[in-house]
Structure formats: structure tokens, C-alpha cells
Amino acid sequence: MNRDATGYAASGEVASMAALDAFAEDLLGYRAEIGRIVKAAEADPSCALANAWAAALWLLTETRKGHARAARFLDRASAAAATERERLAVASIRAWHAGDTATALALCAESAVRFPRDLVAVKLGQYHALNRGDAPSLLRLPLLAAAANEHVPWVHGMLAFGYEECHLLEEAEHEARHAIELRRDEPWAHHALAHVLLTQDRAEEGIDFLATVADTWEGRNPFVVTHNWWHQTLFLLDRDRTDEALALYDTRVFALEPSWGQIQAGAVSLLIRLELHGVDVGDRWQRLAPRLATPDQRHVEPFIDLHLVLGLARAGHPEAETVLAGIADRTATAHEATRAAWAEVALPAARALAGFGRGDHEACVRDLSPVLPRLHEIGGSHAQRDLFEQILIASLLRTGRLAQAQRMLALRQALNPKVPMTQRLLARVLAAAGVPRA
Ligand SMILES: [Fe+2]
């Protein structure tokens, strides 16, 4: 039997081993060439991992089309799987295809224990952990693989993000900087460090840091390019540099692959944040809405659906109601691994965001307040979900609920004291409540 670069045995032809190695680098390094695993899988039905990973790549598109296309590769991977590592990979991706992301995640963790040099399983496991709002697993997975991959930059990038989402920020910064020392062009380590600097209110440092590494993102997977630029806009907004953030929306955040749900989510998130800063975004909602209205990216990830509803409602597009109705249907059809997230969190949150989009702030407060503590269940990072907290604060202010707004703003002020928008809103709340500022 042949072996790939991990040193573990793998079924398939000799030529397929190079394809497996390329996929691992493409996935971990966010390379745009990642689609080549599909060609390799087509060329070698006897290679279980190439076919399993081709299925995974289709699932990573988070589209209905991708879900349908994954099936054939999964069947071939099942038939070809000959080693325990391959059987674990196939079982995990099959569970994912069936909507059982809890099992998919557990099997990735099992792979990390038994085959720690297989970092594809660790990366896919982190993806499931992120989508399930499971920060401890996001950290545990790369920790399981860390000792076997001490000099591999990707592992330190994954550790950095895991630590950050667990709010272990010193460790996160250390791991991110170590990954970048090993490899300057490690976009996921750049991303993790951006999260740390944002959380610690170090926007000036963040802006400078991202500017110095942005050249290495050229030609990478559009998700990581647009998402890292989106992080740059968060720093800019935290310092009221709204003109620059708006310019980046046009040139970077929504410039690549605008038909992809993840990129649309970033665009919606940024436009709302700009508006919360008082920026007139012109006809950008009208230009974005037709992209949000295409059905292929709906009802795969609740995180994406919430942004679709929000953006379509804000644009006054009738498809907002269709997506909302689809989310309601999804609560009955979702696998039990995600059903509570759809039914108990995503659906009320989607109603709230539709309300916010059309200016119904009473509805937004009513439906968003109760689910805010559970919002991590719909996936995404702290920074991404912070949009929903900002939206709730805006609706609280619009409906005169000063006490709840004050509580949330005071906490934000304590954590990020240098953000002018928080200072302004808090001052407004205190003035309205008749409290003179010290
Ligand atoms: Fe991020």
C-alpha cells in the first residue's frame, strides 16, 4: 500500500498520494487550487481519501448543489476505504452529509487521537466545532495533534483560533505569532491574531498588522481573502474610520465570489455595521439583494441563513419571507444534531432580524433578547455574532429600553474602552436616563 506525506498508508494509485498531499496543503493554506482534489478523485476511484475529501470539498461549499454532488464521491470512498484512518474519514464525512455534525466532529477527534499527523481531519473537525458553537472542541482538536506536528505552522494557526474562541487570548497570540514565524503566509494565523487584537481593543495594531501581511492573501481561497479584509473593516469601524471601511466593502469584502454564502454573510454584516455607524450605504443593499435571493445557499448553515434574512429584509426584498418560511420548515427536517439550533435559536433569531431589517424594533427586541445567550449554537465566531448584539442594542435604544441597553453597553465599554461608538451610545443612554456623566 502507498503512503501520503503523513506517513500513513492510503489506498489508491501512486499518483494519488501527491494529490492527497496537495489537498492537505490547499485546505490548511486556503489555496484557490483546492478544486483539484475533485479531478484526482475522478481519476482514481480506488483512492478512498481523494474521494472522501472531494465529497468534503463539495460540502464545504455549503450549497444544495454541493450536497448533491458529494454523494457519488462518498459512495466511491466507502467502497475503497481499506485502512482505519480511511474508514474514520469516510464515516465522519458521511455523518456530515447526513446532517449529523455531532458525530462528524466526534470522528474527527477520534482521528486526531489515532492519526494525529492527518491534519485534514483536524481542520474539518474545527469547521464542525465552529458551526456548532463548540469552542472547547475548536481548541481540543489541534491540541490532540499538536505534539505530532510541532513544526507545522498550520497546527499553530489552528491552535491560535481555538484559544481565541475560548478567550485564552495570551495563548492565542503566542500561537498565532509562532505560526507566522514558521510561515509568514499563514492566513489562518493572521486571522486568529486579528481576532485577538479586536477582542483586546488593539485596533491600531490590528490595522497595521493586517496591512503588512495582506500581500500574502493574493490568489488565496476567496473566503479567507474576503474574511481577513472584513476583519480589517472591524478594526477601522472600532476607530470610526468609516470611509475606509466602506471603500474596503467595495474593493475587498464583496469583490470575490459574491455568490458564496459565507462572502454574502460578510457583506451583510459589514453593511449593517456601517449603517449602525450612521453611514449612508447608498444603493448597496439593492445591489447585494439579488445575490442573497438565490436559493442554492439556503438552509445549509443557520449562520448563513440569518444573514440572508437580515440582508433581504433590509433591502425590502420579498424573498426575506421565503427564507424565513424555509427556516421554519428546516426545524422539522434538520437532523437531531442541529434541530435545537434551528428550532430554538435560528428561527426566533431570524424573525428578530427580519423585524430589524424592516424597522420593526419591537419584534427584534422580543425575539432576539431571549436567544442571545444561546446564539453560539448557530455557529460563527465571537466577532461575527457580535453583529447580533449590536443589532439588539440598536433596537433597545429605538424602543426606549434604556436599562437593558445600559447593561450591555457598559459591558462593551469595560471590555473595549477605546471604541467611540460604544462611548457615544453609552453617553446617550445615560443622558436619556437622567444620569450626569462623571
Ligand atoms: Fe474571523
Side-chain angles (χ1 to χ4, degrees), residues 276-290:
L276 291 174
H277 276 79
V279 175
D280 178 353
V281 301
D283 65 351
R284 287 176 183 79
W285 285 118
Q286 266 50 50
R287 284 192 275 145
L288 176 59

Side-chain angles (χ1 to χ4, degrees), residues 83-369:
T83 70
E84 201 46 37
R85 173 193 176 204
E86 291 172 335
R87 280 189 281 271
L88 270 176
V90 173
S92 174
I93 297 164
R94 196 174 273 294
W96 175 13
H97 189 253
D100 185 359
T101 52
T103 298
L105 171 58
L107 292 170
C108 287
E110 189 178 337
S111 177
V113 171
R114 296 174 64 186
F115 306 101
R117 294 191 302 277
D118 183 344
L119 293 179
V120 170
V122 176
K123 187 72 175 170
L124 294 179
Q126 274 208 319
Y127 170 78
H128 299 311
L130 183 66
N131 287 339
R132 295 183 58 75
D134 183 351
S137 289
L138 202 61
L139 175 56
R140 181 171 153 255
L141 279 153
L143 280 174
L144 290 170
N149 298 280
E150 199 184 331
H151 303 295
V152 180
W154 318 126
V155 135
H156 297 284
M158 289 191 282
L159 280 168
F161 190 52
Y163 278 122
E164 190 280 330
E165 288 295 301
C166 286
H167 275 296
L168 297 165
L169 300 178
E170 270 180 42
E171 291 91 335
E173 180 165 358
H174 172 79
E175 290 295 341
R177 293 201 186 278
H178 184 51
I180 296 163
E181 265 168 36
L182 292 172
R183 184 168 184 142
R184 179 176 171 261
D185 63 340
E186 211 297 48
W188 202 239
H190 303 161
H191 170 255
L193 187 53
H195 270 266
V196 171
L197 299 175
L198 183 78
T199 308
Q200 293 183 329
D201 207 3
R202 293 157 67 187
E204 294 79 8
E205 249 181 279
I207 290 165
D208 288 348
F209 167 69
L210 289 182
T212 62
V213 293
D215 64 292
T216 67
W217 309 334
E218 292 300 323
R220 298 298 176 111
N221 177 313
F223 164 70
V224 86
V225 179
T226 56
H227 187 70
N228 280 356
W229 279 113
W230 177 82
H231 272 279
Q232 184 70 310
T233 69
L234 300 192
F235 290 132
L236 292 167
L237 290 176
D238 269 0
R239 292 298 178 265
D240 271 355
R241 290 165 63 173
T242 52
D243 290 352
E244 292 160 87
L246 186 62
L248 283 181
Y249 173 90
D250 291 332
T251 56
R252 302 291 189 178
V253 175
F254 193 52
L256 296 168
E257 300 287 346
S259 59
W260 191 358
Q262 288 287 349
I263 290 173
Q264 295 170 355
V268 169
S269 177
L270 178 52
L271 284 189
I272 293 283
R273 287 167 197 252
L274 282 159
E275 290 192 325
L276 291 174
H277 276 79
V279 175
D280 178 353
V281 301
D283 65 351
R284 287 176 183 79
W285 285 118
Q286 266 50 50
R287 284 192 275 145
L288 176 59
R291 298 293 190 170
L292 307 179
T294 57
D296 200 39
Q297 74 274 41
R298 287 178 197 167
H299 315 320
V300 179
E301 285 299 331
F303 173 81
I304 301 294
D305 272 21
L306 292 190
H307 287 85
L308 297 180
V309 168
L310 175 59
L312 287 166
R314 186 65 196 84
H317 197 291
E319 280 295 291
E321 288 303 315
T322 314
V323 180
L324 198 52
I327 295 172
D329 292 344
R330 194 82 181 84
T331 64
T333 59
H335 190 281
E336 63 174 332
T338 59
R339 196 175 300 148
W342 282 101
E344 295 165 21
V345 187
L347 182 58
R351 286 192 183 120
L353 296 171
F356 180 83
R358 61 173 185 268
D360 184 349
H361 296 284
E362 282 292 341
C364 182
V365 170
R366 181 191 64 223
D367 291 324
L368 196 51
S369 294

Side-chain angles (χ1 to χ4, degrees), residues 2-83:
N2 296 307
R3 288 173 193 277
D4 65 6
T6 64
Y8 301 126
S11 59
E13 296 162 10
V14 176
S16 296
M17 300 304 108
L20 298 182
D21 300 342
F23 180 76
E25 291 283 310
D26 289 347
L27 180 72
L28 294 156
Y30 291 86
R31 285 190 219 293
E33 299 86 348
I34 195 165
R36 56 188 164 174
I37 191 67
V38 175
K39 209 169 157 192
E42 293 285 14
D44 186 1
S46 74
C47 185
L49 287 178
N51 283 277
W53 291 349
L57 185 61
W58 276 118
L59 292 174
L60 284 171
T61 64
E62 298 174 341
T63 58
R64 298 179 194 187
K65 182 178 88 177
H67 186 267
R69 294 207 172 161
R72 190 168 62 87
F73 292 102
L74 263 176
D75 288 342
R76 297 206 314 197
S78 292
T83 70

